[in-house]
Amino acid sequence: MAQDNRGNPIIVDNGWCGRDLCPFPFPQRLYIVEPWLLGLLDPLIAEAIHAGSSGPLEELQKCLRRVSLSLGAADVMDVMGSWRLFVWGDAGTAVLEDLLVVEDEKILVERVDEALRLGLVDSLVELYSRLTGLSVDEARRTVKKAVEILRDLALVKTWEVRYEGFKRLCPSRDIYTVEELAYKLANGVWGVDRGQKHIILVNQSIAPTERLDPQKLRDVVEALEGLGIRVNKAITHTIHTRLSQGELELAWFIQVGRGERARLLRTAARKINTNEWRCVLRVETSFYPEEEAIVGFFSSSPTPNSILCCLERLKSIVKEAEGDAVLKILYNRKPGPVIASAPLG
């Protein structure tokens, strides 16, 4: 995204289209620094990402709970930010100006990326036309421009995050520490899945993987069984043609305590983009504080070697876990039956 002719930054805010309400092209990379996540994120995970951030985050979380109630939100999850974005070439600054309450379908206007992700761009056009009184054609042109801006914003390499709204609503000298945490969240290996309520470590050194099909799954089961790994005998009866429908993945899951989970994530974040971790597509866990947390290590490709490699990477960094690691098949990101189990020791 280029600067204007005078070298000033490009500014994107809620009025970028010249009206009181514009479809807002919020970059997906910045979802992880939204107020709702900061309000729910386990402080131990935050500490693993940025030392010294757990105390300031806990203080902010107390304030966010109070503020969300005062705004009429049922939960912090229902609160999002009103942002202004400043972009100089491939560097940007995201400034939180205020807090908003998520209002059902209006989220499509406030977050164009959500409309794209859900395949609801036509619904966004109709909604925007209805909210503004514009013709459908005018609304479509504005939405098209928002999508173009969003694609340009995806090219920004580094985002600085400034929580100006928090400094007004939740004054604290330590808000700068939370901004430093946000910088690492936005510019590192981290991602977030709002629907699954997961924080994600993303392997940035590998391309998206090919789809898993029933025959590949049979090959995996046979190979694991041949290596002496405990295989669920009943799994072969569940492998039908219907498994080729949708997105299928394989992942190893373990259960650990909160402290061990934070330590594991800190270690995995340092290693995930190295060559020996190319078999790990991503690592996921709930972003909530949970005394017994489930962590998933997702295999980067559906081959026996990559799945065993993924298990070895997990075993190499975990110190404390309850029970064995279990390999599950996932249907459209939702864990299904156990395929195999392996001791971590």
Side-chain angles (χ1 to χ4, degrees):
M1 223 173 159
Q3 298 163 296
D4 66 17
N5 293 332
R6 298 179 181 177
N8 297 318
I10 301 296
I11 300 176
V12 183
D13 58 18
N14 289 327
W16 67 264
C17 65
R19 302 183 182 89
D20 292 336
L21 178 65
C22 303
F24 191 68
F26 192 63
Q28 189 176 39
R29 275 179 59 196
L30 292 178
Y31 272 88
I32 198 166
V33 299
E34 275 276 33
W36 63 264
L37 179 67
L38 294 180
L40 299 171
L41 181 64
D42 184 351
L44 293 187
I45 293 178
E47 186 70 19
I49 296 169
H50 181 58
S53 64
S54 59
L57 180 63
E58 287 178 322
E59 183 180 343
L60 178 63
Q61 287 175 336
K62 292 175 184 176
C63 178
L64 280 174
R65 283 192 286 270
R66 294 194 301 268
V67 172
S68 63
L69 289 174
S70 70
L71 292 173
D75 186 80
V76 172
M77 193 78 178
D78 295 329
V79 174
M80 62 170 48
S82 174
W83 296 86
R84 175 171 289 192
L85 309 177
F86 300 82
V87 179
W88 296 263
D90 61 0
T93 299
V95 180
L96 178 77
E97 297 188 315
D98 208 344
L99 300 180
L100 304 170
V101 177
V102 178
E103 297 183 31
D104 300 325
E105 62 179 358
K106 196 176 177 184
I107 191 174
L108 300 180
V109 176
E110 291 160 346
R111 295 291 183 269
V112 171
D113 185 67
E114 281 292 285
L116 284 173
R117 184 179 68 83
L118 298 171
L120 296 175
V121 173
D122 288 342
S123 298
L124 167 56
V125 170
E126 294 172 6
L127 173 63
Y128 188 60
S129 172
R130 189 168 72 247
L131 291 174
T132 60
L134 294 172
S135 70
V136 172
D137 286 343
E138 288 177 306
R140 183 172 288 109
R141 283 194 293 270
T142 303
V143 169
K144 181 181 178 181
K145 180 61 177 176
V147 172
E148 291 172 358
I149 294 172
L150 185 62
R151 287 172 179 158
D152 285 341
L153 290 173
L155 301 176
V156 175
K157 294 181 179 178
T158 306
W159 284 102
E160 178 187 353
V161 181
R162 288 167 42 198
Y163 288 126
E164 297 301 323
F166 287 162
K167 294 169 186 175
R168 175 172 53 84
L169 296 169
C170 305
S172 168
R173 289 177 300 175
D174 289 333
I175 199 66
Y176 300 104
T177 303
V178 181
E179 290 177 338
E180 292 168 351
L181 168 66
Y183 181 87
K184 291 185 177 180
L185 286 169
N187 298 297
V189 294
W190 302 94
V192 65
D193 185 325
R194 180 187 174 97
Q196 297 290 331
K197 298 180 174 61
H198 280 177
I199 191 165
I200 308 168
L201 273 172
V202 182
N203 193 328
Q204 300 164 320
S205 63
I206 59 175
T209 58
E210 56 185 306
R211 213 152 100 181
L212 177 65
D213 60 38
Q215 185 54 52
K216 287 176 182 174
L217 183 54
R218 290 189 187 94
D219 292 343
V220 168
V221 170
E222 290 174 5
L224 293 177
E225 194 168 21
L227 291 169
I229 292 178
R230 292 193 298 271
V231 173
N232 174 12
K233 301 293 185 180
I235 193 67
T236 55
H237 300 295
T238 69
I239 302 174
H240 301 296
T241 305
R242 66 182 180 85
L243 290 186
S244 63
Q245 304 297 318
E247 180 186 357
L248 301 178
E249 298 178 286
L250 293 176
W252 292 97
F253 290 88
I254 59 169
Q255 186 174 36
V256 294
R258 276 182 70 195
E260 172 67 358
R261 175 176 69 169
R263 189 200 62 78
L264 189 155
L265 290 177
R266 180 173 59 248
T267 304
R270 291 199 302 265
K271 295 177 177 288
I272 194 165
N273 286 326
T274 60
N275 284 335
E276 64 177 1
W277 277 62
R278 288 181 66 83
C279 54
V280 182
L281 179 64
R282 65 184 186 276
V283 180
E284 290 192 15
T285 187
S286 166
F287 49 64
Y288 288 116
E290 294 181 345
E291 295 308 322
E292 295 182 352
I294 303 295
V295 181
F297 273 58
F298 290 69
S299 174
S300 62
S301 60
T303 66
N305 286 342
S306 67
I307 290 159
L308 289 173
C309 169
C310 187
L311 173 64
E312 289 305 311
R313 299 291 79 76
L314 185 161
K315 292 168 69 172
S316 70
I317 66 172
V318 70
K319 291 182 178 178
E320 302 173 6
E322 296 185 18
D324 297 341
V326 296
L327 181 68
K328 291 186 178 184
I329 187 169
L330 285 90
Y331 304 82
N332 296 320
R333 305 292 296 273
K334 296 180 181 178
V338 173
I339 296 174
S341 62
L344 291 163

